Amino acid sequence: MAKYNPDSWPAVWVLQLIANGNLHSFYTSREWKRLRREVLKHQRRRCWDCAHKAPAVNTRGVTVHHVKPLRERPDLALSEYDEAGNINLVCLCASCHWDRHHKRAAPATPERW
């Protein structure tokens, strides 16, 4: 398993964009746009989260989402999978993408009083 190296590319580039408050440049880059098109095509524009619900729902995905956030793993910015083979880029519908970023995680144990 490869170890995270903040001095590798694209980690250096992404960390520099984050430090300069210009992460938007990553999402408008030629590299990201190309990979985004590939992921949307590979995943057939189906929302990952909706497809894994019970029962499964077939919803059109419009956004490619980093499972491991860029700020935590900038080295995986342009990787569909992580070093262990786990998916890192998933196609999501607008609703599921919003949920991934804004929905609070449910408490591990419910409060009893």
Side-chain angles (χ1 to χ4, degrees):
M1 186 177 336
K3 189 176 176 184
Y4 166 53
N5 179 2
D7 295 324
S8 66
W9 194 90
V12 171
W13 174 47
V14 173
L15 289 170
Q16 197 171 39
L17 292 174
I18 291 169
N20 294 331
N22 191 19
L23 196 54
H24 176 73
S25 291
F26 170 78
Y27 291 108
T28 58
S29 71
R30 189 172 12 118
E31 295 89 342
W32 173 251
K33 287 179 179 182
R34 180 190 54 76
L35 180 58
R36 181 184 179 279
R37 274 192 311 273
E38 288 177 20
V39 170
L40 288 171
K41 182 180 177 184
H42 177 253
Q43 295 182 17
R44 298 186 310 242
R45 288 192 171 264
R46 289 180 47 212
C47 176
W48 178 269
D49 287 354
C50 288
H52 288 86
K53 289 178 181 174
V57 180
N58 190 12
T59 308
R60 181 176 172 84
V62 294
T63 303
V64 174
H65 173 77
H66 286 90
V67 174
K68 297 189 180 196
L70 286 179
R71 284 176 168 74
E72 293 174 21
R73 290 297 304 270
D75 59 319
L76 297 175
L78 297 171
S79 299
E80 190 170 354
Y81 297 91
D82 67 11
E83 61 278 352
N86 300 313
I87 195 153
N88 181 49
L89 296 176
V90 293
C91 187
L92 296 175
C93 65
S95 176
C96 289
H97 191 235
W98 190 92
D99 286 348
R100 289 254 187 145
H101 282 282
H102 304 289
K103 206 172 197 179
R104 293 178 85 187
T109 52
E111 218 174 286
R112 294 184 184 212
W113 39 75

